Amino acid sequence: MWSEMFDMFVQSFWETLIMVGISGAIGGAIGLPLGVLLHLSERGGVLQNVILNRVLGMVINAVRSTPFIILLVAVIPFTRLVVGSSIGTAAAVVPLTIAAAPFVARLVETALREVDRGLIEAAQAMGATTSQVVFKVLLPEAWPGIVAGLTLTFVSLVGYSAMAGAIGGGGLGDLGIRYGYQRFLPEVMLAVVFVLIVFVQLVQSFGDYLVRRLSHK
């Protein structure tokens, strides 16, 4: 009994790692350039385009304001199109990625706003191109804030992945619901919560460590 439960815990934790890792990586890869574009296109930005900025901002806000449990259900047709199924770990990655990308974009935009505009103006005065401003000034200066935002994203995805278990997404959330709640095994539920707390603490600690290292450079 306990041997089977331990094996299920290991399998569920692995599924959670896959969901959080893949969705966080893809969401970050999409959200980072979106955040840069939001910053560049804002009023007074290097590539000012108010219409583009507002349209992009509205789309991002619409996704961010949608409760994740509703987003899970709303994107089921798209999820089936991408992975061929609406249940399972692979299927859960799709809505998790959709939720992560706009979240990262706003956090990146906020981090870029903290960069001293004097540095940008100095770079432009020396003839720097837009790409040079982005990769030589904006991103290097904002890396600590961006990493802090990515850490927050991964922590949020841990909670979202547990919620994905409610619709058969697998992972620790699915284990807690099926055995802790539906089969009235509170010790399983407590164990799931404990593992999630430790996991989040490790992710946060590692992110804080990276931020400190980047801040000292």
Side-chain angles (χ1 to χ4, degrees):
M1 170 64 180
W2 290 111
S3 176
E4 284 183 30
M5 194 60 68
F6 178 77
D7 291 341
M8 283 192 292
F9 258 99
V10 172
Q11 178 65 27
S12 296
F13 183 66
W14 176 243
E15 291 173 350
T16 296
L17 278 178
I18 291 174
M19 285 189 286
V20 173
I22 295 178
S23 61
I26 299 176
I30 297 172
L32 180 58
L34 277 178
V36 172
L37 183 58
L38 277 171
H39 179 70
L40 295 178
S41 63
E42 68 182 4
R43 193 179 300 277
V46 177
L47 296 175
Q48 177 176 310
N49 189 324
V50 178
I51 295 177
L52 173 64
N53 185 269
R54 287 181 178 174
V55 171
L56 193 58
M58 286 174 63
V59 173
I60 288 173
N61 289 340
V63 178
R64 286 187 62 206
S65 62
T66 304
F68 183 67
I69 194 68
I70 295 177
L71 183 66
L72 275 171
V73 177
V75 300
I76 282 177
F78 179 67
T79 301
R80 284 204 187 104
L81 181 66
V82 174
V83 299
S85 174
S86 61
I87 60 174
T89 303
V93 169
V94 177
L96 284 170
T97 301
I98 293 173
F103 192 69
V104 172
R106 282 302 186 191
L107 292 173
V108 169
E109 180 190 22
T110 301
L112 294 175
R113 282 178 178 168
E114 299 298 318
V115 177
D116 187 355
R117 291 197 65 85
L119 294 174
I120 301 172
E121 292 169 359
Q124 289 177 313
M126 289 187 288
T129 63
T130 300
S131 62
Q132 288 174 326
V133 169
V134 171
F135 292 105
K136 298 291 181 64
V137 180
L138 279 173
L139 290 179
E141 290 293 322
W143 266 128
I146 291 174
V147 171
L150 288 173
T151 301
L152 179 60
T153 301
F154 276 97
V155 168
S156 299
L157 285 173
V158 173
Y160 286 165
S161 71
M163 200 182 302
I167 63 164
L172 290 169
D174 182 50
L175 180 66
I177 291 171
R178 282 192 296 115
Y179 287 87
Y181 177 71
Q182 294 177 348
R183 299 193 183 184
F184 305 104
L185 295 173
E187 62 273 16
V188 174
M189 184 71 78
L190 288 174
V192 167
V193 171
F194 176 76
V195 172
L196 288 173
I197 289 173
V198 172
F199 184 39
V200 166
Q201 186 61 49
L202 290 174
V203 172
Q204 187 66 58
S205 298
F206 181 65
D208 291 343
Y209 167 76
L210 289 180
V211 170
R212 287 194 299 270
R213 288 294 301 272
L214 290 169
S215 298
H216 292 157
K217 291 184 179 181

